[in-house]
Amino acid sequence: ALHWREVRRWIICFLIGVLTGLTAGIIDLGVEKVSGLKFESVKDLVDKCVTGNCMYYPLLVWLAFNMGLVLVGSILTAYVEPVAAGSGIPQIKCYLNGVIVPHVVRIKTLITKVVGVVCAVAGGLAVGKEGPMIHSGAVIAAGVSQGRSTSLKLDFSIFKDFRSDREKRDFVSAGAAAGVAAAFGAPVGGVLFSLEEGASFWNQALVWRIFFSSMVSTMTLNIVQSYIKNHPWELSYAGLINFGTFGNVNYQFMELFLVIVMGAIGGLLGALFNHINFKLTIFRMRFIQRRWQRVIEVIMVAAYTAAFAYILIFFSQDCLPLVENREPMLMQYFCKDGEFSSSARLFFDTPEATVKNLFHSNPGTYRPLTLFIFAAGYFFLACWTYGLSVPSGLFIPSLLVGAAWGRIVGIVLSMASENSGWVNLSFYSLVGASAMLGGIVRMTISLTVIIMEATSNVPLGLPVMISLIVAKWVGDQFNEGIYDIHIHVQGVPMLGWEPLPLSANLSAKSVMSHPVSVFRTVETVERIIRVLKEEKHNGFPVVMDYDPDSSTPQENVEVETFGTFRGLILRSQLIMMLKKKLFVENPNLQKILKDLKMENFNDLYPRYLPIQRVSISPEEANFTVNLEAFMNQSQHVVLESASYSSIFSKFRSLGLRHVVVINFQNQVVGIVTRKDLARYTVESHNGQISIVEKMIIL
Amino acid sequence: ALHWREVRRWIICFLIGVLTGLTAGIIDLGVEKVSGLKFESVKDLVDKCVTGNCMYYPLLVWLAFNMGLVLVGSILTAYVEPVAAGSGIPQIKCYLNGVIVPHVVRIKTLITKVVGVVCAVAGGLAVGKEGPMIHSGAVIAAGVSQGRSTSLKLDFSIFKDFRSDREKRDFVSAGAAAGVAAAFGAPVGGVLFSLEEGASFWNQALVWRIFFSSMVSTMTLNIVQSYIKNHPWELSYAGLINFGTFGNVNYQFMELFLVIVMGAIGGLLGALFNHINFKLTIFRMRFIQRRWQRVIEVIMVAAYTAAFAYILIFFSQDCLPLVENREPMLMQYFCKDGEFSSSARLFFDTPEATVKNLFHSNPGTYRPLTLFIFAAGYFFLACWTYGLSVPSGLFIPSLLVGAAWGRIVGIVLSMASENSGWVNLSFYSLVGASAMLGGIVRMTISLTVIIMEATSNVPLGLPVMISLIVAKWVGDQFNEGIYDIHIHVQGVPMLGWEPLPLSANLSAKSVMSHPVSVFRTVETVERIIRVLKEEKHNGFPVVMDYDPDSSTPQENVEVETFGTFRGLILRSQLIMMLKKKLFVENPNLQKILKDLKMENFNDLYPRYLPIQRVSISPEEANFTVNLEAFMNQSQHVVLESASYSSIFSKFRSLGLRHVVVINFQNQVVGIVTRKDLARYTVESHNGQISIVEKMIIL
């Protein structure tokens, strides 16, 4: 039985990989087809109008395309599933951290995400499709591992025994990793992403399965792409983002100092980006609450994006001779005959192709001023776009902005130095791109590895890593990474990596919830129902020697106690016991107990019956339930004197949700939940650092 | 202060990276120079003797070289530092798991390792230098992070505050990772190696620092190599092992089924290898105990290895035309004029070059029979060699054997199929190599990534991974990985990844040490000294309401109890308190306490004073010590009913060494140590699976 369970886990991971790879392929194909259609129409008109002096007309057609597509995406997001907005990474991060954001792994979310991101990218917004792919992988994983969809009312009744928070979370890690693997062709980066963003304890078997999902997902996408490109089964397309070959990109040791400077610039710009986006998010939460308002905002941004692109193309006049019209993406626009507009390429290609183009195109393709306007404009567009009611990834816009200013750095260096042979524009745009991305998202090892895999170049890893270290360090002086900002704005009780620096003086006693509702080992049905209705907690201590009705407060004690601790019982267990009528007074008790299976407890996961829906007759209300057989006796406890940091590391390492606080006599004095720990934060005012309580909404 | 601490951690990691990279460069240079010298001498003689019919003479010179070198290496290992024998990976694995093997991170070990491995590799033994490099990195990390060497009696008094088990372990992880990074040019693989082999909880900052060390180490080696090869500062040499370019190696989807078969072969061969080596290790532990015996065994193996090589070259007659004598490593031997012996290359190149050669040389270079004899002979030689009293890595021999039989598979396939264009020998030798290595060491994600980085090829990751999965799964049906076998043969209390499958019925009560020695909150000096001398434990519960002198056993209780639990005190703390004379009766107590710093506790780490060396006057023996101020009140406790698996996950995730077991009245009933948990193992006899106790020596 044990072996079979393990084999099924591998099967699930295989399915997650295949489906995530397929989904990524569908998104990619969708974007390509739709933008292809848009491009063809506009190009025909441009070609006609270059002579006919009607350039306003293709502009209008372009605007119409963009706004139409974006309208579909935003309506879908606003009205069908608002949680599908944005990249989904903050939500996945919360999920892996143990905090469940409602609707985040529903099938409706997946569909909205996939259709929405195709519309947003093809609609020309400053967004990428990578974040949404990661989110899609997570939803697929949650669905497959549970073997059913509650929304679709399907239950295949397989994988029943994986219906628990922990198992599901493990599979969601695999799904997120598979999403990264497909998006960037970075299976190892995917594994590290999952680990960095959420998993806590390094479990060899789990990591191995996550890696398997990532590999399968990469390969599936590979096969799909080999079919699309008419070389079936030739497995050589690594992923959706491929930064092109950096094979001959070398650098000198001294250039690493320039990398440090560029990392600092990335950190500063990233902090600015996050700050503006933070203010914007607060503004949106206050003033843009209605659905139609959100849709209108998206349309406005789409229109501005298109206008910005058109103006840049019009004024920049970066023209290059059209050697052979090999690439279909080259347009003449306002250039002379026999030339094409290189700045138009910045907007008309898919964003992925543009990144590659900025990395690899020959010196002289873009003038520094054009790049500067592009970088600055795209910076603010991307900042405005992230948080709109439409699925939108941040990676590609950040890379674009960074690659643009990195290229500027390279051009300036080669102009300033006498013997400019050492300046490699590819190198500088790559460093700029990673510094910018690092400054915004503040990810560490996973981001380095993702970029290493996307460039297929190990030696470039060091400069990339240095730029990321510096960018993170500089950025962290001002604010948090964009994902953490969005998580905290939502008031989600996330635990960080380390306990707070000043928490040495906080003890269990000062953070615990107190007073606490407890149950006696044999408890009346009536009281169980009352407490479950009154309290929101999911776990309750079971105690001896406690009288809930003694209304007189205990005298002469420092802290009120609630009986001697025996174990912990979960809300879901209590509800199941009531539903199955496991009353001591029930004559059929033995028979029911015999028929009871583990599955009965997991069957309803994760949408347990609310207590209000359990029907209990007035007679039954006076019955009692014996909790001893079901309570968890291995529950983790801490003494009231235990320090905040020791409790913190317990929660973090063991993935706990609650811990019972006892005194030296093993009497319950309180309970510490995740929220109690996440409630504190460090603030610094005028150089004074202090611990303050923050608001937790969710 | 907090920031500065963090900065110094980064500085240490930088130093670890630089020194590990340098050490790897020294080992590499040493091997190259010494084998170059050997090769030149033999080649001159062969060239002379081809005409003069004196081929026995170069054989003798060769033998003399090999045996002389190996003699130096083995004497050094046997007489100076026996723990330097082997690859060192089992010892590092123990260290990272929290079990300290004596002498494992001493500077003497490092020197023995470095000199010994150069002798062993240049002496022609079937060994690699990669394992020893990993061990070297770990020793360097331990030395640098403590800022002193006890052996050399140097103390730089910096990094004083990192003198604790936990900090040191973290740095040793970084050192091991840096070693892998240098050996294979695989910085990401290095990080994963450290995590897979030892680290427990994924700590973002720690992983990031480990990665930094790895990167710095790769780059340092890179710079060293660029100097050696006369292209200073050109950073493009990735690592010591480079499997060459697999850029154009493609495979069809259907070939993955062959990969599965080859994985199974690798698993079977690996299990056989491990079984033979296990028996050999037992034999050695019994019969080869004296130092001179060990040295003689090494010399014997060296002689056999040389003889085997010479016989193979003599009989194989694999000759190839000498196109242009570009490579200096080609020798005529028993071939016709104008040809060179391709089988001689298998032995005369460095093992790393031979692996590359097996991967990439053209079809027809080796006849299948030659490869078969080579693979079979090398298999047994490698098996015999691992465990000899000489530093020796296992990676390269395993890769060699696997690449050889993988190549045979390729050759057979191309002979058997009509249209053999699809058979790529590089692909099959790579898969064979990874299957063989996987079958022996049973590593998972880190090995995949190491191979991926060494081949610089992401799409090949999937077949490599599949072969490793299958090899591990097949091998695990028979025995453990070679490193785990060596760990268990030594009786080291290592904890696995998961609690034992049948451990559901074991509770804290059944695994704990009982009775247990406890101290009262105010304890007499005399009793502390007595208990410390009698007991080997490192931690003791501090209790109230306990009378150690009541010799009458408690009546009517199921389990004897030892007072109410208050906290835990460490042996090192007690010794420090006695040494500083922190007696309640001491009139200077307040003054001493005021002068006492945290450093006083860490100063002697890790070689604390034994209790025998603390001098206490007879008068002082009657004094008392108040333990309350120093004991750890946040100590983790478990109830006696707690399950084995919940205790196990606590130890594993939190890196604990002992946990106090209490009953419902918070009275101490026992203590669970790492050894108590590691004592149980699962055995299966005739289909019956049961939990048995095993012997723990260390």
Side-chain angles (χ1 to χ4, degrees), chain A residues 2-3 7 10 166 185-188 191-192 195-197 199-205 207-209 211-213 215-216 218-219 222-223 232-238 250-253 256 442-446 448-449 452-453 456 458-463 465-466 468-469 472-473 477 497-498 501 544 564-567 631 633-639 641-643 646 649-650 652-654 662-666, chain B residues 2-3 7 10 166 185-188 191-192 195-197 199-205 207-209 211-213 215-216 218-219 222-223 232-238 250-253 256 442-446 448-449 452-453 456 458-463 465-466 468-469 472-473 477 497-498 501 544 564-567 631 633-639 641-643 646 649-650 652-654 662-666:
Chain A
L2 216 90
H3 251 77
V7 170
W10 282 89
R166 202 187 141 171
V188 182
V191 174
L192 294 174
L195 292 172
E196 185 168 346
E197 293 303 333
S200 42
F201 175 61
W202 172 280
N203 177 314
Q204 193 185 32
V207 174
W208 195 213
R209 281 199 305 272
F211 191 37
F212 182 65
S213 280
M215 273 289 181
V216 171
T218 314
M219 293 314 289
N222 218 316
I223 294 170
W233 297 111
E234 205 176 84
L235 309 178
S236 47
Y237 303 92
N250 270 307
Y251 58 95
Q252 300 280 315
F253 187 74
L256 292 180
R442 313 277 166 81
M443 282 156 57
T444 57
I445 185 171
S446 57
T448 317
V449 174
M452 270 170 75
E453 287 186 287
S456 307
V458 175
L460 281 179
L462 188 74
M465 183 183 198
I466 291 176
L468 289 177
I469 291 177
K472 181 177 164 60
W473 189 83
Q477 306 306 312
W497 289 104
E498 304 270 2
M544 300 184 303
T564 305
F565 180 67
R566 292 304 306 275
M631 71 186 185
Q633 297 199 34
S634 300
Q635 175 61 30
H636 300 282
V637 293
V638 293
L639 284 170
S641 56
S643 68
S646 78
S649 68
K650 256 191 182 172
R652 207 64 184 77
S653 329
L654 299 169
I662 57 174
N663 65 10
F664 282 126
Q665 283 75 43
N666 195 35
Chain B
L2 215 90
H3 252 76
V7 170
W10 282 89
R166 202 187 141 170
V188 182
V191 175
L192 294 174
L195 291 173
E196 184 168 345
E197 294 303 332
S200 41
F201 175 61
W202 171 278
N203 177 315
Q204 193 185 32
V207 173
W208 195 212
R209 280 199 305 272
F211 191 36
F212 181 66
S213 280
M215 273 289 179
V216 171
T218 314
M219 293 315 288
N222 218 317
I223 294 170
W233 299 111
E234 205 177 81
L235 309 179
S236 47
Y237 302 92
N250 270 308
Y251 57 94
Q252 301 281 316
F253 187 74
L256 292 180
R442 313 276 167 82
M443 282 156 57
T444 57
I445 185 172
S446 58
T448 317
V449 175
M452 269 171 75
E453 287 186 288
S456 306
V458 174
L460 280 179
L462 188 74
M465 182 182 198
I466 291 175
L468 289 176
I469 290 176
K472 181 176 164 60
W473 189 83
Q477 306 306 311
W497 289 104
E498 303 270 2
M544 300 184 303
T564 305
F565 180 68
R566 291 305 304 276
M631 69 188 186
Q633 298 199 35
S634 299
Q635 176 59 30
H636 299 282
V637 293
V638 292
L639 283 170
S641 55
S643 67
S646 80
S649 68
K650 256 191 182 170
R652 206 68 183 75
S653 329
L654 299 170
I662 57 173
N663 65 10
F664 281 126
Q665 283 75 45
N666 195 36

Side-chain angles (χ1 to χ4, degrees), chain A residues 502 682-690:
Chain A
L502 296 180
V682 169
E683 281 193 5
S684 106
H685 275 296
N686 305 327
Q688 289 265 342
I689 301 178
S690 56

Side-chain angles (χ1 to χ4, degrees), chain B residues 102-173:
Chain B
H103 291 207
V104 76
V105 291
R106 295 273 176 91
I107 197 159
K108 217 161 70 175
T109 312
L110 176 66
I111 294 167
T112 310
K113 203 103 201 180
V114 170
V115 179
V117 76
V118 170
C119 292
V121 175
L125 284 180
V127 301
K129 59 190 185 317
E130 285 65 29
M133 274 182 193
I134 299 169
H135 189 171
S136 304
V139 182
I140 290 168
V144 171
S145 66
Q146 306 299 297
R148 70 170 164 195
S149 160
T150 339
S151 313
L152 298 184
K153 302 229 163 49
L154 282 176
D155 191 341
F156 299 104
S157 296
I158 46 167
F159 310 142
K160 263 193 176 175
D161 39 350
F162 298 134
R163 289 179 188 167
S164 75
D165 271 347
R166 202 187 141 170
E167 292 278 358
K168 195 169 168 184
R169 195 160 69 213
D170 286 351
F171 288 115
V172 169
S173 311

Side-chain angles (χ1 to χ4, degrees), chain A residues 480-544:
Chain A
E480 293 178 281
I482 186 96
Y483 301 132
D484 292 320
I485 288 177
H486 277 256
I487 288 169
H488 288 147
V489 164
Q490 309 281 334
V492 174
M494 275 267 290
L495 298 183
W497 289 104
E498 304 270 2
L500 299 171
L502 296 180
S503 57
N505 299 325
L506 287 176
S507 69
K509 211 152 68 179
S510 50
V511 297
M512 70 190 181
S513 298
H514 176 91
V516 58
S517 301
V518 299
F519 292 118
R520 289 161 296 185
T521 43
V522 176
E523 187 56 87
T524 64
V525 172
E526 181 265 334
R527 186 162 172 271
I528 292 178
I529 293 177
R530 182 156 45 80
V531 172
L532 287 183
K533 282 182 183 165
E534 280 168 8
E535 295 272 347
K536 280 185 173 175
H537 282 299
N538 285 313
F540 299 90
V542 180
V543 297
M544 300 184 303

Side-chain angles (χ1 to χ4, degrees), chain B residues 352-518:
Chain B
E352 287 78 13
T354 311
V355 171
K356 217 164 143 177
N357 185 12
L358 281 172
F359 283 160
H360 293 293
S361 58
N362 294 324
T365 308
Y366 304 105
R367 284 187 303 149
L369 186 64
T370 312
L371 286 175
F372 179 78
I373 297 171
F374 174 76
Y378 215 83
F379 180 92
F380 289 105
L381 282 175
C383 192
W384 194 4
T385 309
Y386 190 74
L388 285 182
S389 171
V390 77
S392 61
L394 248 183
F395 275 65
I396 288 293
S398 315
L399 289 172
L400 269 178
V401 174
W405 68 253
R407 206 177 163 89
I408 299 177
V409 172
I411 294 173
V412 170
L413 282 175
S414 69
M415 290 195 304
S417 68
E418 301 215 338
N419 180 3
S420 65
W422 57 274
V423 179
N424 187 317
L425 292 188
S426 299
F427 177 75
Y428 286 95
S429 36
L430 178 67
V431 171
S434 59
M436 189 72 232
L437 185 51
I440 292 174
V441 302
R442 313 276 167 82
M443 282 156 57
T444 57
I445 185 172
S446 58
L447 193 52
T448 317
V449 175
I450 287 172
I451 295 175
M452 269 171 75
E453 287 186 288
T455 55
S456 306
N457 191 316
V458 174
L460 280 179
L462 188 74
V464 166
M465 182 182 198
I466 291 175
S467 68
L468 289 176
I469 290 176
V470 177
K472 181 176 164 60
W473 189 83
V474 170
D476 280 351
Q477 306 306 311
F478 299 97
N479 46 33
E480 293 177 280
I482 187 94
Y483 300 130
D484 291 321
I485 288 178
H486 277 255
I487 288 169
H488 287 147
V489 163
Q490 309 280 334
V492 175
M494 276 267 289
L495 297 184
W497 289 104
E498 303 270 2
L500 299 171
L502 296 180
S503 58
N505 299 326
L506 287 176
S507 69
K509 210 152 70 180
S510 49
V511 297
M512 71 189 180
S513 298
H514 176 91
V516 58
S517 300
V518 298

